[in-house]
Amino acid sequence: LGAAAAIAQAPPLSATVDRPIVRDNESFTYSIRAEGVVRGDPDETPLSKEFDVLQRSSSSRVQILNGQASQVTEWQYQLMPKTAGEFTIPALKVGDRQTNPISVRVLPQDTGANPAADIFMELDAQPKKVYVQSQMLFTLRLFIGVSTGRATLTPPEVTGGEAIVERLGEDSQYQTTRAGRTFIVRERRFAVFPQAAGKLTIGPATFEAMVIPDRGFSRVQRFRSGVVDVDVQPAVAPPAQFPDAAWLPAQRVTLSEEWSDASTELPVGVPRTRKIIVEGLGLLETQLPDVSIAQQPGIREYADQPELNREVTADGLLSRRSVSLAVIAQQPGDVTLAGVRLPWWNVKERRWEVAELPPRTLKITPSAEP
């Protein structure tokens, strides 16, 4: 009975919010104030059901009122609604005490991506129809018309199918004008390679920042972009003349070679380095195939491990696969190295094409006498 009386006489916990009506892309502050000695921290588990807890802090001080000293403890939570609706933050327990419940109304977010908005995003995917394993360029543009702080830009997710997503370089930033209003634009580009035919959805992207308006209070806001739906076409069967051709969808594929000595004369037993380079625009370097080199009588070619690299261009990824070969002649005479042919699918022209390396004739001379 004594314990029950002590609980009943304990001062209540006071819970408040800074705004009872918010949008689901806006944060708000939920505070708990306790007078007197409390044991432990609030059980915040009920908060995570309808809200994301962005930040939490606590403080304790001693206040003197009418000559009486008492301890005051405060907890503050910055909450972000997960969705719109009418919610009640339930009573939270702090030790053997609990708070009062609070009602919060969350309005749907303002998705208007127009110059009237302070912050909005635009998504662009080119082309809208792609082939499986081919490159699609995806661009995210974030328009900011107010001051911000503590900003975080979360890349868009890919749903509906598997895809390889590669970020293309660093963000670019520039200034633009929409309907007479100036915006700072932060642009981020990605190369997306769908791995299965069907529908693919990209987005939404999320931008979260402390928005600092010209007037009023600063607060954390969350902005979500729309989504982009992509139609992924299946691979096209290889042509009859190349029935075993691998699927290689690209904007451009080239074959080239480099020699350590440009002379067409090659002494017997003297190695010369030959480098064969496969270059593909709109491909990952891992997609570039190993070029098959036909061995010719009187010549031996010994390949090193291939080198893979890439660079970012305005048209996406430009990848290279190069392999160095030690070419050694076995006997004098003329030898013609066979040409190389590599079939590939032109995604722009929508047809099969062939990258070629022409044959090369070498005159094999006797080795020099010691």
Side-chain angles (χ1 to χ4, degrees):
L1 291 176
I7 294 175
Q9 294 173 2
L13 300 179
S14 174
T16 59
V17 292
D18 63 339
R19 301 188 325 281
I21 301 177
V22 297
R23 291 191 179 273
D24 73 341
N25 66 336
E26 295 180 352
S27 67
F28 65 98
T29 302
Y30 171 73
S31 303
I32 299 174
R33 185 177 188 272
E35 294 185 10
V37 178
V38 291
R39 298 183 179 89
D41 293 320
D43 178 13
E44 61 185 62
T45 303
L47 296 177
S48 60
K49 182 179 180 181
E50 305 294 350
F51 307 94
D52 291 328
V53 181
L54 303 182
Q55 289 183 347
R56 53 178 63 81
S57 62
S58 63
S59 62
S60 182
R61 69 181 188 276
V62 175
Q63 72 173 9
I64 300 176
L65 186 62
N66 297 327
Q68 298 291 324
S70 63
Q71 179 176 319
V72 176
T73 305
E74 292 183 338
W75 295 267
Q76 285 194 340
Y77 299 88
Q78 195 171 70
L79 304 181
M80 177 72 74
K82 293 182 178 180
T83 185
E86 301 280 348
F87 304 104
T88 297
I89 300 177
L92 302 189
K93 291 185 177 180
V94 185
D96 54 7
R97 299 155 66 182
Q98 64 181 21
T99 67
N100 53 291
I102 297 181
S103 297
V104 178
R105 183 183 180 191
V106 181
L107 303 176
Q109 65 171 305
D110 183 4
T111 58
N114 55 67
D118 291 331
I119 297 175
F120 62 93
M121 283 179 279
E122 292 181 350
L123 306 182
D124 180 57
Q126 296 296 333
K128 291 295 192 302
K129 289 186 178 181
V130 297
Y131 292 94
V132 63
Q133 297 181 358
S134 69
Q135 174 187 264
M136 179 189 66
L137 294 180
F138 178 82
T139 305
L140 164 63
R141 297 182 184 92
L142 170 64
F143 293 76
I144 302 176
V146 293
S147 297
T148 60
R150 299 207 310 267
T152 302
L153 179 60
T154 303
E157 295 183 356
V158 177
T159 57
E162 182 182 354
I164 297 174
V165 181
E166 298 285 341
R167 183 171 171 178
L168 298 177
E170 298 298 322
D171 294 354
S172 60
Q173 185 167 301
Y174 53 90
Q175 183 174 298
T176 189
T177 301
R178 292 285 184 92
R181 185 176 180 183
T182 300
F183 290 87
I184 298 298
V185 183
R186 181 177 170 186
E187 184 174 295
R188 183 174 296 181
R189 300 170 68 233
F190 302 88
V192 180
F193 296 86
Q195 298 299 295
K199 295 291 184 181
L200 198 67
T201 299
I202 306 177
T206 303
F207 178 68
E208 188 173 290
M210 176 67 73
V211 177
I212 308 171
D214 294 335
R215 295 180 180 179
F217 297 99
S218 301
R219 61 181 182 270
V220 174
Q221 289 187 260
R222 181 180 293 170
F223 303 86
R224 293 184 179 90
S225 70
V227 300
V228 174
D229 293 320
V230 181
D231 185 14
V232 183
Q233 303 293 315
V236 180
Q241 62 269 37
F242 298 103
D244 299 325
W247 175 241
L248 196 62
Q251 298 176 47
R252 184 181 72 241
V253 174
T254 59
L255 277 171
S256 61
E257 64 178 346
E258 298 175 356
W259 289 80
S260 57
D261 188 334
S263 172
T264 57
E265 292 189 358
L266 178 63
V268 171
V270 178
R272 183 174 296 175
T273 301
R274 178 193 191 192
K275 179 183 287 188
I276 296 180
I277 303 165
V278 185
E279 190 174 83
L281 179 60
L283 289 171
L284 294 164
E285 65 272 22
T286 52
Q287 291 178 271
L288 297 174
D290 185 16
V291 177
S292 178
I293 305 297
Q295 295 288 344
Q296 305 295 318
I299 289 283
R300 289 292 181 266
E301 297 187 71
Y302 303 95
D304 289 340
Q305 290 295 320
E307 296 180 3
L308 304 178
N309 56 72
R310 67 167 71 163
E311 65 178 273
V312 176
T313 73
D315 296 318
L317 291 179
L318 177 62
S319 298
R320 295 183 183 88
R321 179 188 180 102
S322 59
V323 58
S324 295
L325 304 101
V327 181
I328 303 177
Q330 306 294 310
Q331 58 190 26
D334 290 345
V335 175
T336 300
L337 301 179
V340 180
R341 307 187 75 194
L342 178 61
W344 62 284
W345 177 259
N346 189 322
V347 296
K348 288 187 174 181
E349 302 297 331
R350 299 190 177 188
R351 66 188 183 194
W352 281 94
E353 296 188 6
V354 179
E356 295 190 62
L357 193 63
R360 181 182 176 89
T361 299
L362 298 176
K363 182 177 182 180
I364 310 304
T365 60
S367 59
E369 293 294 333

